[in-house]
Amino acid sequence: MARHPIAIVGDASTTALEATLANGEIMELVSAATEELDGSDHSEPTIAYFSPEFGISSVIPQFSGGLGILAGDHLKAASDLHVPLAAVGLFYREGFFRQSIKGGAQAERYPAMTPEELGAVDTGHIVTVPMPGRDVAARVWRMDIGGTPLLLLDSAVAANSKADRKITDRLYSGDRRHRLEQELLLGVGGVRALRALGWPIRVYHLNEGHAGFLVLELVNEVIHEGRLEDAISIVRRGLVFTTHTPVPAGIDRFERALIEPYLAVWASAWGVDVQDLWKIGADPVDAKKFNMAAMGLRTASAANGVSALHGEVSRNLFAGVGVGDDIGHITNGVHARTWVSEDNQTVFDQVLGPEWAEGSPAAWDRVESLTDAAIGALRHIGSLRLAQLAQDTIGARINPEALVVGFARRFATYKRATLLFHEMKRLEKMLHDDDRPIHFVFAGKAHPADGPGKKLLAQVVAFADSEESNGRFTFIPDYGIDIARHMYEGSDIWLNTPVRPREASGTSGQKAALNGGLNCSILDGWWAEMYDGSNGWAIPTSDVKDAVRRDAAEAASTLDVLDTILSEYHEGRAAFAGRIRHAWRTLGPQVTAARMLAEYRDKVYGPALTRVG
Ligand SMILES: *Cc1c(COP(=O)(O)O)cnc(C)c1O
């Protein structure tokens, strides 16, 4: 497993370090890398990006899933494009859990980490956030992601009570009060941290509603004599909101009895009725709930979903709520240099030119000059690496002749990791076909509190271990950035079977596509707009209302499509290489985070900066 460079250097012997320093070749690489980092833009940030999680690298485990990975890619692309952006999050000393499989079920552990050993630097600033009966303090740590600064708030400071030191202990864990206090710290403390750094921030971007309480502090800065509405209309100009889920369970909501005392702290300071603050986040449906997405939509001047389909679904879902009717969309993308394997990058740099990573259509057009043999060789290296990983982690053997089908994501129930089990007979037959071998590789974590998700995971593990799967269905534990990269590199097919339209975007298929994996997916999220009929496969969806019958129908369709793919793969590798070439040419320009960030810059940040004036 990869380790943080600081940990590696910390453990190295003096002789080893001296030998490294004396090695001219290594030191040349180091100074070139340093120069590259220093070459980044150091203009002061004017845009602040708030997110509860950031997936930066496998050695900085401060994320749980797609939202965090997207946030990490956003920062890297902002750095590449010199967009003057600063990011704000929390530092979780126990991060998100590490997964192992015990007795056929998910086991969780939380290794402790310190900001220092992950390379964070103490800014020397401590901010405080008012909560009922006390102030909570947080230290402000800083990491630089290329040229983009990331501030991380950490409540494990001496000034806090023992309980308050644990507010930032883990990501998405604990009870609702714990979550509420984390989000207050992130929103309010985040704005105070930006002020402490003295940056001229004018635009605030909420990556999902979790940091929405930043509005409290922004209002606090401009409110006069109880004129709450006036203060909000000033704040609104610079506030933009991205919604990430049409699934109600994915949206943060707080019980009225829980949140009111926290809101009352601000209401009494401003001389307003707590009811007026409550109204900002009142759930449109459930009168007892405070809804963070509703709060975002009522206080922002612009909002967007993360794919064309998701934008449409969100406009319906949030009709009449603030800017809900005007929700646009910017489709997610992925940071190419993070997710494309080294081997692929080397070939792309040589044949397509380095601008492929920025999504240049002209560069991607040059894939036409990549021969079938070159494509085959690249795919082969990737599949060997994945086979090695499967061997090393759980002793599984992958037949090099098999069509490798990858599936890795959170075990949220709507993603339907067990969809194919609805057609068990056909699946087993496919797994026993020696003429057209197939191998499924699955990975993913279920949220520790998600009982149904954990049940799906146990079913997948049980099937992988069963006679019936014929050793051709492998579950790799402890899904994270490292394992994800191996899977994108080594899967011929990337399988995605969500209940349409619940996958707001999804990004794992984009990462597979850049590595030459072909998507086989329900037409949901990003795929609904980028599938062109031949750059991968679409799994037909069923209109049946009954969920069990719908799943059975879609399982059958998925196996039909996999059958077609198996024939094509095993009958003619040339046709397959042709498809990969076509997928690269059509998807390469669309799926990069560079394209996404340019859209945020031009359609969201630019107009917001103009509104603020
Ligand atoms: C890309 C990625 C995700 C998001 O995948 P989805 O397609 O949104 O399910 C989650 N976790 C990791 C480690 C990733 O690399």
Side-chain angles (χ1 to χ4, degrees):
M1 260 325 119
R3 293 174 68 217
H4 197 286
I6 289 183
I8 296 172
V9 174
D11 289 351
S13 67
T14 315
T15 14
L17 289 177
E18 277 168 359
T20 307
L21 291 172
N23 182 326
E25 221 172 289
I26 293 181
M27 291 318 288
E28 232 167 76
L29 284 174
V30 170
S31 59
T34 316
E35 245 168 62
E36 196 181 311
L37 287 174
D38 280 350
S40 47
D41 203 331
H42 284 301
S43 62
E44 297 216 295
T46 52
I47 300 151
Y49 179 86
F50 280 67
S51 176
E53 50 173 307
F54 289 93
I56 306 289
S57 98
S58 61
V59 292
I60 309 177
Q62 296 279 310
F63 73 97
S64 109
L67 184 73
I69 298 287
L70 178 83
D73 283 6
H74 197 98
L75 306 195
K76 293 172 192 173
S79 173
D80 295 345
L81 271 68
H82 303 285
V83 172
L85 182 139
V88 182
L90 298 177
F91 187 87
Y92 306 97
R93 284 177 178 261
E94 295 182 358
F96 197 57
F97 72 93
R98 299 292 300 269
Q99 180 195 59
S100 57
I101 302 299
K102 292 219 170 84
Q106 170 173 292
E108 295 131 19
R109 68 202 149 82
Y110 290 86
M113 57 195 124
T114 66
E116 292 96 327
E117 72 192 9
L118 301 195
V121 173
D122 187 352
T123 62
H125 296 291
I126 300 239
V127 293
T128 60
V129 175
M131 298 210 192
R134 78 232 198 247
D135 280 339
V136 172
R139 186 177 304 283
V140 182
W141 297 92
R142 173 174 178 163
M143 284 187 191
D144 287 278
I145 314 305
T148 305
L150 165 61
L151 303 180
L152 296 167
L153 276 59
D154 166 24
S155 75
V157 297
N160 284 338
S161 70
K162 238 176 161 174
D164 285 345
R165 277 177 224 165
K166 292 207 161 120
I167 291 178
T168 54
D169 58 353
R170 294 175 179 180
L171 181 54
Y172 304 143
S173 79
D175 60 10
R176 298 306 297 161
R177 180 180 303 280
H178 187 248
R179 178 73 78 90
L180 175 62
E181 293 185 345
Q182 283 191 338
E183 295 189 2
L184 278 158
L185 204 61
L186 173 60
V188 176
V191 174
R192 292 184 176 183
L194 291 166
R195 297 296 179 263
L197 270 290
W199 289 327
I201 303 293
R202 286 149 66 212
V203 166
Y204 298 82
H205 183 182
L206 291 176
N207 185 42
E208 193 47 273
H210 308 83
F213 294 121
L214 63 70
V215 167
L216 295 173
E217 178 60 8
L218 293 176
V219 163
N220 192 47
E221 291 177 335
V222 297
I223 193 165
H224 290 293
E225 296 157 5
R227 306 284 302 251
L228 182 61
E229 268 309 312
D230 297 348
I232 290 177
S233 57
I234 295 171
V235 168
R236 177 176 287 119
R237 289 182 213 140
L239 187 63
V240 296
F241 173 61
T242 300
T243 170
H244 284 271
T245 179
V247 182
I251 298 173
D252 254 321
R253 289 165 218 247
F254 296 107
E255 291 289 339
R256 185 168 191 144
L258 171 63
I259 197 174
E260 247 180 23
Y262 290 84
L263 296 178
V265 171
W266 301 84
S268 68
W270 302 336
V272 305
D273 193 355
V274 71
Q275 177 64 23
D276 294 335
L277 277 185
W278 166 263
K279 277 192 302 202
I280 300 174
D283 190 285
V285 181
D286 183 344
K288 288 206 196 67
K289 292 267 167 71
F290 191 93
N291 178 320
M292 296 304 284
M295 182 188 201
L297 292 166
R298 292 197 186 107
T299 53
S301 48
N304 69 280
V306 289
S307 69
L309 179 59
H310 178 234
E312 188 185 318
V313 169
S314 300
R315 284 189 291 280
N316 287 324
L317 185 68
F318 296 118
V321 184
V323 290
D325 298 294
D326 298 320
I327 294 173
H329 78 272
I330 292 178
T331 304
N332 286 345
V334 298
H335 187 253
R337 298 231 178 245
T338 299
W339 298 108
V340 174
S341 73
E342 302 266 322
D343 299 297
N344 273 294
Q345 287 201 42
T346 306
V347 171
F348 288 170
D349 283 340
Q350 280 166 6
V351 179
L352 316 184
E355 326 81 69
W356 67 268
E358 293 139 38
S360 152
W364 283 104
D365 280 347
R366 289 180 213 122
V367 293
E368 296 305 333
S369 58
L370 270 177
T371 63
D372 290 1
I375 294 174
L378 274 176
R379 297 299 310 153
H380 187 62
I381 297 173
S383 62
L384 287 181
R385 291 238 163 82
L386 177 59
Q388 191 66 49
L389 177 79
Q391 172 83 54
D392 294 346
T393 49
I394 53 162
R397 220 193 124 264
I398 299 178
N399 174 355
E401 290 305 308
L403 175 82
V404 175
V405 179
F407 180 104
R409 40 185 58 86
R410 289 181 301 120
F411 270 69
T413 47
Y414 78 85
K415 293 181 185 252
R416 295 192 297 191
T418 60
L419 182 71
L420 293 177
F421 298 176
H422 283 271
E423 287 281 329
M424 200 46 111
K425 286 255 146 54
R426 274 186 73 186
L427 176 61
E428 285 173 17
K429 193 159 167 253
M430 193 176 265
L431 289 166
H432 283 79
D433 185 345
D434 290 333
D435 297 329
R436 302 183 313 165
I438 189 167
H439 196 115
F440 291 89
V441 180
F442 273 51
K445 293 175 172 177
H447 186 283
D450 178 9
K454 284 179 154 177
K455 204 170 138 198
L456 297 184
L457 195 144
Q459 285 169 5
V460 165
V461 170
F463 183 66
D465 288 345
S466 71
E467 292 277 314
E468 286 74 20
S469 65
N470 197 25
R472 297 183 185 177
F473 194 112
T474 298
F475 180 83
I476 299 180
D478 205 26
Y479 177 49
I481 289 176
D482 243 15
I483 286 170
R485 287 173 51 129
H486 278 88
M487 289 184 65
Y488 304 139
E489 203 183 337
S491 299
D492 300 303
I493 298 297
W494 195 252
L495 182 64
N496 184 34
T497 53
V499 178
R500 189 177 196 268
R502 293 190 208 169
E503 190 63 88
S505 168
T507 53
S508 57
Q510 300 180 329
K511 299 177 231 170
L514 286 178
N515 282 288
L518 293 170
N519 280 270
C520 170
S521 171
I522 298 276
L523 284 174
D524 201 5
W526 73 280
W527 191 234
E529 71 202 70
M530 295 188 196
Y531 171 62
D532 75 348
S534 56
N535 55 5
W537 289 269
I539 301 169
T541 38
S542 153
D543 290 333
V544 178
K545 285 276 170 293
D546 177 68
V548 177
R549 286 174 52 217
R550 176 203 62 205
D551 287 356
E554 294 183 4
S557 309
T558 306
L559 287 167
D560 290 344
V561 178
L562 287 175
D563 248 332
T564 315
I565 299 173
L566 273 169
S567 301
E568 187 174 314
Y569 184 75
H570 288 295
E571 279 156 28
R573 295 289 169 90
F576 220 76
R579 259 192 205 271
I580 294 173
R581 207 178 280 114
H582 177 68
W584 271 334
R585 203 161 62 81
T586 55
L587 298 175
Q590 300 188 74
V591 301
T592 66
R595 186 271 307 148
M596 169 180 79
L597 215 94
E599 284 194 53
Y600 275 103
R601 180 192 59 203
D602 300 342
K603 297 185 187 167
V604 177
Y605 300 150
L609 286 163
T610 307
R611 277 193 299 275
V612 174

